[in-house]
Amino acid sequence: MPVIGVEEFKSAEAQYFPQPGDSPEVIAQKAKNRATVAQGLARSAGSTYKPPVLEVSAPEPGGNTELLSKAGWGIEEVQ
């Protein structure tokens, strides 16, 4: 079973996931990078790939009402 090392993981994490200090443009590019990789994995799976079924519930009152992606994930600034 293949395993990646700690340094390889850290590199991929910084490449694909928002990090403190990333600009909105960098965050958007990282989202595109993740989508590209996910699409490649889905294509390589061929006809065996089945997309996930996503359930999105209504936001809590006073919460963020903007759905940032089809999966219901978003980024929130922490002070």
Side-chain angles (χ1 to χ4, degrees), residues 60-77:
E60 293 293 322
N64 184 359
T65 59
E66 183 178 349
L67 185 60
L68 298 176
S69 74
K70 292 180 183 175
W73 292 92
I75 299 172
E76 186 177 307
E77 185 174 343

PDB file of all heavy atoms in Angstrom, residues 60-77:
ATOM      1  N   GLU A  60     -28.063  28.211   9.451  1.00  0.00           N
ATOM      2  CA  GLU A  60     -28.628  28.674  10.715  1.00  0.00           C
ATOM      3  C   GLU A  60     -29.033  30.143  10.582  1.00  0.00           C
ATOM      4  O   GLU A  60     -28.398  30.893   9.845  1.00  0.00           O
ATOM      5  CB  GLU A  60     -27.593  28.534  11.835  1.00  0.00           C
ATOM      6  CG  GLU A  60     -27.241  27.092  12.160  1.00  0.00           C
ATOM      7  CD  GLU A  60     -28.400  26.344  12.772  1.00  0.00           C
ATOM      8  OE1 GLU A  60     -29.148  26.941  13.579  1.00  0.00           O
ATOM      9  OE2 GLU A  60     -28.571  25.171  12.440  1.00  0.00           O
ATOM     10  N   PRO A  61     -30.052  30.572  11.283  1.00  0.00           N
ATOM     11  CA  PRO A  61     -30.434  31.986  11.238  1.00  0.00           C
ATOM     12  C   PRO A  61     -29.255  32.868  11.631  1.00  0.00           C
ATOM     13  O   PRO A  61     -28.557  32.580  12.595  1.00  0.00           O
ATOM     14  CB  PRO A  61     -31.557  32.092  12.269  1.00  0.00           C
ATOM     15  CG  PRO A  61     -32.097  30.704  12.379  1.00  0.00           C
ATOM     16  CD  PRO A  61     -30.931  29.786  12.130  1.00  0.00           C
ATOM     17  N   GLY A  62     -29.006  33.914  10.838  1.00  0.00           N
ATOM     18  CA  GLY A  62     -27.895  34.813  11.100  1.00  0.00           C
ATOM     19  C   GLY A  62     -26.563  34.301  10.602  1.00  0.00           C
ATOM     20  O   GLY A  62     -25.552  34.961  10.723  1.00  0.00           O
ATOM     21  N   GLY A  63     -26.557  33.112  10.023  1.00  0.00           N
ATOM     22  CA  GLY A  63     -25.310  32.543   9.518  1.00  0.00           C
ATOM     23  C   GLY A  63     -25.053  32.952   8.084  1.00  0.00           C
ATOM     24  O   GLY A  63     -25.790  33.741   7.502  1.00  0.00           O
ATOM     25  N   ASN A  64     -24.002  32.423   7.524  1.00  0.00           N
ATOM     26  CA  ASN A  64     -23.646  32.716   6.142  1.00  0.00           C
ATOM     27  C   ASN A  64     -24.661  32.047   5.225  1.00  0.00           C
ATOM     28  O   ASN A  64     -24.789  30.834   5.211  1.00  0.00           O
ATOM     29  CB  ASN A  64     -22.229  32.210   5.858  1.00  0.00           C
ATOM     30  CG  ASN A  64     -21.752  32.572   4.471  1.00  0.00           C
ATOM     31  OD1 ASN A  64     -22.474  33.193   3.700  1.00  0.00           O
ATOM     32  ND2 ASN A  64     -20.544  32.179   4.158  1.00  0.00           N
ATOM     33  N   THR A  65     -25.376  32.832   4.451  1.00  0.00           N
ATOM     34  CA  THR A  65     -26.415  32.278   3.588  1.00  0.00           C
ATOM     35  C   THR A  65     -25.928  32.000   2.174  1.00  0.00           C
ATOM     36  O   THR A  65     -26.668  31.489   1.358  1.00  0.00           O
ATOM     37  CB  THR A  65     -27.619  33.235   3.522  1.00  0.00           C
ATOM     38  OG1 THR A  65     -27.175  34.493   3.019  1.00  0.00           O
ATOM     39  CG2 THR A  65     -28.251  33.416   4.895  1.00  0.00           C
ATOM     40  N   GLU A  66     -24.678  32.352   1.872  1.00  0.00           N
ATOM     41  CA  GLU A  66     -24.154  32.136   0.526  1.00  0.00           C
ATOM     42  C   GLU A  66     -23.552  30.738   0.421  1.00  0.00           C
ATOM     43  O   GLU A  66     -22.651  30.375   1.163  1.00  0.00           O
ATOM     44  CB  GLU A  66     -23.090  33.193   0.197  1.00  0.00           C
ATOM     45  CG  GLU A  66     -22.555  33.058  -1.202  1.00  0.00           C
ATOM     46  CD  GLU A  66     -21.534  34.139  -1.509  1.00  0.00           C
ATOM     47  OE1 GLU A  66     -21.399  35.082  -0.726  1.00  0.00           O
ATOM     48  OE2 GLU A  66     -20.871  34.012  -2.529  1.00  0.00           O
ATOM     49  N   LEU A  67     -24.056  29.959  -0.499  1.00  0.00           N
ATOM     50  CA  LEU A  67     -23.507  28.626  -0.722  1.00  0.00           C
ATOM     51  C   LEU A  67     -22.279  28.781  -1.606  1.00  0.00           C
ATOM     52  O   LEU A  67     -22.373  29.158  -2.761  1.00  0.00           O
ATOM     53  CB  LEU A  67     -24.547  27.730  -1.416  1.00  0.00           C
ATOM     54  CG  LEU A  67     -24.156  26.277  -1.609  1.00  0.00           C
ATOM     55  CD1 LEU A  67     -23.893  25.613  -0.258  1.00  0.00           C
ATOM     56  CD2 LEU A  67     -25.257  25.537  -2.336  1.00  0.00           C
ATOM     57  N   LEU A  68     -21.096  28.509  -1.057  1.00  0.00           N
ATOM     58  CA  LEU A  68     -19.855  28.792  -1.765  1.00  0.00           C
ATOM     59  C   LEU A  68     -19.482  27.712  -2.765  1.00  0.00           C
ATOM     60  O   LEU A  68     -18.666  27.937  -3.635  1.00  0.00           O
ATOM     61  CB  LEU A  68     -18.716  28.989  -0.765  1.00  0.00           C
ATOM     62  CG  LEU A  68     -18.910  30.163   0.195  1.00  0.00           C
ATOM     63  CD1 LEU A  68     -17.774  30.207   1.201  1.00  0.00           C
ATOM     64  CD2 LEU A  68     -18.996  31.461  -0.569  1.00  0.00           C
ATOM     65  N   SER A  69     -20.029  26.541  -2.633  1.00  0.00           N
ATOM     66  CA  SER A  69     -19.751  25.499  -3.610  1.00  0.00           C
ATOM     67  C   SER A  69     -20.879  24.484  -3.567  1.00  0.00           C
ATOM     68  O   SER A  69     -21.696  24.478  -2.657  1.00  0.00           O
ATOM     69  CB  SER A  69     -18.414  24.799  -3.308  1.00  0.00           C
ATOM     70  OG  SER A  69     -18.561  23.949  -2.192  1.00  0.00           O
ATOM     71  N   LYS A  70     -20.938  23.641  -4.564  1.00  0.00           N
ATOM     72  CA  LYS A  70     -21.983  22.622  -4.622  1.00  0.00           C
ATOM     73  C   LYS A  70     -21.915  21.679  -3.435  1.00  0.00           C
ATOM     74  O   LYS A  70     -22.911  21.092  -3.043  1.00  0.00           O
ATOM     75  CB  LYS A  70     -21.878  21.841  -5.925  1.00  0.00           C
ATOM     76  CG  LYS A  70     -22.232  22.681  -7.138  1.00  0.00           C
ATOM     77  CD  LYS A  70     -22.120  21.875  -8.403  1.00  0.00           C
ATOM     78  CE  LYS A  70     -22.413  22.763  -9.585  1.00  0.00           C
ATOM     79  NZ  LYS A  70     -22.220  22.078 -10.844  1.00  0.00           N
ATOM     80  N   ALA A  71     -20.736  21.530  -2.862  1.00  0.00           N
ATOM     81  CA  ALA A  71     -20.585  20.633  -1.713  1.00  0.00           C
ATOM     82  C   ALA A  71     -20.985  21.277  -0.408  1.00  0.00           C
ATOM     83  O   ALA A  71     -21.048  20.603   0.612  1.00  0.00           O
ATOM     84  CB  ALA A  71     -19.128  20.158  -1.626  1.00  0.00           C
ATOM     85  N   GLY A  72     -21.264  22.595  -0.429  1.00  0.00           N
ATOM     86  CA  GLY A  72     -21.661  23.254   0.792  1.00  0.00           C
ATOM     87  C   GLY A  72     -20.501  23.676   1.671  1.00  0.00           C
ATOM     88  O   GLY A  72     -20.688  24.014   2.831  1.00  0.00           O
ATOM     89  N   TRP A  73     -19.266  23.682   1.157  1.00  0.00           N
ATOM     90  CA  TRP A  73     -18.119  24.085   1.926  1.00  0.00           C
ATOM     91  C   TRP A  73     -17.782  25.530   1.666  1.00  0.00           C
ATOM     92  O   TRP A  73     -18.037  26.050   0.594  1.00  0.00           O
ATOM     93  CB  TRP A  73     -16.909  23.215   1.565  1.00  0.00           C
ATOM     94  CG  TRP A  73     -17.062  21.807   2.002  1.00  0.00           C
ATOM     95  CD1 TRP A  73     -17.574  20.786   1.267  1.00  0.00           C
ATOM     96  CD2 TRP A  73     -16.751  21.272   3.268  1.00  0.00           C
ATOM     97  NE1 TRP A  73     -17.589  19.642   1.999  1.00  0.00           N
ATOM     98  CE2 TRP A  73     -17.084  19.908   3.239  1.00  0.00           C
ATOM     99  CE3 TRP A  73     -16.214  21.800   4.419  1.00  0.00           C
ATOM    100  CZ2 TRP A  73     -16.894  19.071   4.321  1.00  0.00           C
ATOM    101  CZ3 TRP A  73     -16.024  20.947   5.495  1.00  0.00           C
ATOM    102  CH2 TRP A  73     -16.373  19.606   5.434  1.00  0.00           C
ATOM    103  N   GLY A  74     -17.190  26.180   2.621  1.00  0.00           N
ATOM    104  CA  GLY A  74     -16.762  27.552   2.449  1.00  0.00           C
ATOM    105  C   GLY A  74     -15.581  27.876   3.339  1.00  0.00           C
ATOM    106  O   GLY A  74     -15.131  27.036   4.114  1.00  0.00           O
ATOM    107  N   ILE A  75     -15.104  29.082   3.214  1.00  0.00           N
ATOM    108  CA  ILE A  75     -13.985  29.552   4.027  1.00  0.00           C
ATOM    109  C   ILE A  75     -14.462  30.743   4.810  1.00  0.00           C
ATOM    110  O   ILE A  75     -15.084  31.654   4.279  1.00  0.00           O
ATOM    111  CB  ILE A  75     -12.788  29.927   3.144  1.00  0.00           C
ATOM    112  CG1 ILE A  75     -12.313  28.698   2.370  1.00  0.00           C
ATOM    113  CG2 ILE A  75     -11.671  30.534   3.972  1.00  0.00           C
ATOM    114  CD1 ILE A  75     -11.267  29.004   1.334  1.00  0.00           C
ATOM    115  N   GLU A  76     -14.182  30.733   6.077  1.00  0.00           N
ATOM    116  CA  GLU A  76     -14.627  31.777   6.966  1.00  0.00           C
ATOM    117  C   GLU A  76     -13.409  32.445   7.590  1.00  0.00           C
ATOM    118  O   GLU A  76     -12.495  31.762   8.042  1.00  0.00           O
ATOM    119  CB  GLU A  76     -15.474  31.115   8.048  1.00  0.00           C
ATOM    120  CG  GLU A  76     -16.151  32.046   8.986  1.00  0.00           C
ATOM    121  CD  GLU A  76     -17.017  31.240   9.959  1.00  0.00           C
ATOM    122  OE1 GLU A  76     -17.832  30.447   9.516  1.00  0.00           O
ATOM    123  OE2 GLU A  76     -16.815  31.448  11.165  1.00  0.00           O
ATOM    124  N   GLU A  77     -13.362  33.778   7.573  1.00  0.00           N
ATOM    125  CA  GLU A  77     -12.244  34.485   8.166  1.00  0.00           C
ATOM    126  C   GLU A  77     -12.360  34.416   9.683  1.00  0.00           C
ATOM    127  O   GLU A  77     -13.430  34.636  10.250  1.00  0.00           O
ATOM    128  CB  GLU A  77     -12.236  35.939   7.722  1.00  0.00           C
ATOM    129  CG  GLU A  77     -11.023  36.682   8.220  1.00  0.00           C
ATOM    130  CD  GLU A  77     -10.945  38.079   7.667  1.00  0.00           C
ATOM    131  OE1 GLU A  77     -11.629  38.382   6.677  1.00  0.00           O
ATOM    132  OE2 GLU A  77     -10.176  38.864   8.231  1.00  0.00           O
TER     133      GLU A  77
END
